[in-house]
Amino acid sequence: VEILLDILAQLRNQNTPQLPEDYYEEMSRLQVIKYLGIHERTYIRKVKDGTLKPRKMPGGDRFYKRDLTEAYKESIRRGRI
């Protein structure tokens, strides 16, 4: 019985997705521009059209890296990164 419980615990651990360490890292506007390899005007345009959705905080917009996944993939596709 103990062996079965041990196997079950191991299977549960395998199904848990491993998140990168920086998954919850907060980024400022300038960090996002550098991270995505885009110009400041492009950043402003993407915020206006809803492609980038910042979290409004005192002191400026903030993003989590996890929220930038699609924009990051697009930057790679276009050869910016």
Side-chain angles (χ1 to χ4, degrees), residues 27 32 35 52 63-72:
M27 299 175 76
V32 169
Y35 179 68
L52 295 177
F63 292 85
Y64 288 108
K65 272 194 178 177
R66 68 173 186 259
D67 298 333
L68 299 172
T69 305
E70 291 305 314
Y72 184 74

Side-chain angles (χ1 to χ4, degrees), residues 46-81:
K46 288 182 175 287
V47 169
K48 283 184 181 180
D49 72 14
T51 305
L52 295 177
K53 296 176 180 133
R55 299 170 193 277
K56 302 294 184 182
M57 304 282 233
D61 296 346
R62 292 286 183 261
F63 292 85
Y64 288 108
K65 272 194 178 177
R66 68 173 186 259
D67 298 333
L68 299 172
T69 305
E70 291 305 314
Y72 184 74
K73 288 178 185 176
E74 179 66 12
S75 286
I76 290 174
R77 187 184 74 77
R78 291 185 178 229
R80 294 185 189 126
I81 300 174

Side-chain angles (χ1 to χ4, degrees), residues 26-47:
E26 257 189 25
M27 299 175 76
S28 70
R29 177 181 56 86
L30 293 176
Q31 289 171 319
V32 169
I33 289 169
K34 185 175 180 182
Y35 179 68
L36 297 178
I38 59 177
H39 192 272
E40 190 166 359
R41 286 296 310 152
T42 304
Y43 169 84
I44 292 168
R45 188 174 60 250
K46 288 182 175 287
V47 169

